[in-house]
């Protein structure tokens, strides 16, 4: 029997800490809002439910995407759904700069996903799988748009990795 879910090879090593922070902020918001209403004498079951619902919404908004990768695929899980692209069959890559920089990948099968490129830069093991898949896409000729975006990302990630190694070894 074959399963649809690919085996995870690499994941965002900072995700748990970020998720813990999101949950902590939402809990703090909930407790503080309930305490303020209680102190003001206006807390009732309806207001309590409202604050709990708003705290859950804060948690969902702050919860980071969970990025994982394996041979030939990259996946991003949000609280609502999972997006997966085949990195060895990419058709286009676009990077949008600004306040919230994000990378959009689309494969030849019509699947697409968005992710923060800093997640890939901060996780060399996670970056390895998409990088390998991208090279295959370029070799097969499926990647028609965005090879330059990936080249810049590769150079930046490699430079950051070298700088980190030099700092840790005391040479920089």
């Amino acid at each position: 029997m074959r399963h649809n879910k690919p085996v995870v090879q690499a994941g965002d090593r900072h995700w748990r800490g970020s998720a813990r922070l999101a949950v902590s902020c939402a809990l703090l918001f909930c407790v503080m809002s309930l305490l303020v209403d209680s102190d003001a004498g206006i807390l009732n079951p309806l207001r309590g439910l409202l604050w709990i619902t708003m705290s859950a919404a804060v948690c969902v908004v702050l919860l980071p995407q969970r990025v994982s990768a394996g041979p030939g695929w990259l996946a991003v899980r949000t609280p609502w759904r999972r997006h997966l692209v085949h990195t060895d069959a990419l058709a286009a890559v676009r990077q949008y700069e600004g306040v919230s920089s994000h990378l959009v990948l689309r494969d030849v099968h019509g699947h697409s996903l968005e992710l923060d490129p800093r997640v890939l830069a901060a996780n060399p093991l996670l970056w390895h799988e998409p990088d390998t898949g991208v090279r295959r896409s370029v070799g097969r000729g499926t990647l028609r748009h965005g090879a330059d975006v990936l080249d810049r990302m590769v150079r930046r990630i490699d430079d950051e990795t070298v700088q980190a190694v030099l700092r840790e070894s005391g040479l920089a």
Side-chain angles (χ1 to χ4, degrees):
M1 175 183 264
R2 188 174 177 169
H3 299 282
N4 286 339
K5 186 175 181 181
V7 177
V8 174
Q9 295 291 83
D12 182 0
R13 62 185 173 167
H14 303 290
W15 185 85
R16 283 193 178 150
S18 298
R20 241 186 330 268
L21 180 63
V23 170
S24 299
C25 289
L27 285 174
L28 181 63
F29 175 75
C30 184
V31 168
M32 295 302 291
S33 57
L34 292 172
L35 284 175
V36 167
D37 264 13
S38 178
D39 187 49
I42 57 173
L43 182 62
N44 59 39
L46 184 59
R47 286 185 68 89
L49 182 62
L50 172 72
W51 288 122
I52 291 169
T53 303
M54 287 181 66
S55 298
V58 166
C59 184
V60 167
V61 167
L62 295 178
L63 194 65
Q65 298 175 330
R66 189 166 199 163
V67 181
S68 56
W73 59 271
L74 180 68
V76 172
R77 178 170 281 290
T78 66
W80 312 118
R81 58 185 298 207
R82 182 169 177 262
H83 301 272
L84 184 132
V85 293
H86 298 275
T87 56
D88 52 0
L90 286 175
V93 176
R94 289 187 171 71
Q95 184 167 10
Y96 297 95
E97 298 293 337
V99 174
S100 175
S101 175
H102 59 279
L103 193 64
V104 178
L105 299 121
R106 190 171 39 96
D107 66 19
V108 295
H109 308 292
H111 304 122
S112 66
L113 64 77
E114 284 185 33
L115 75 147
D116 186 342
R118 294 175 296 186
V119 172
L120 297 175
N123 295 282
L125 293 175
L126 182 62
W127 168 245
H128 174 72
E129 291 297 344
D131 183 39
T132 303
V134 165
R135 291 172 198 230
R136 285 190 193 122
S137 292
V138 170
R140 292 176 181 164
T142 61
L143 185 60
R144 305 239 184 245
H145 305 284
D148 58 326
V149 170
L150 294 169
D151 287 340
R152 284 193 308 269
M153 256 186 86
V154 167
R155 282 194 304 277
R156 193 179 87 232
I157 290 172
D158 288 346
D159 290 348
E160 289 174 7
T161 303
V162 167
Q163 290 298 322
V165 168
L166 290 175
R167 266 193 312 275
E168 288 298 316
S169 65
L171 298 174

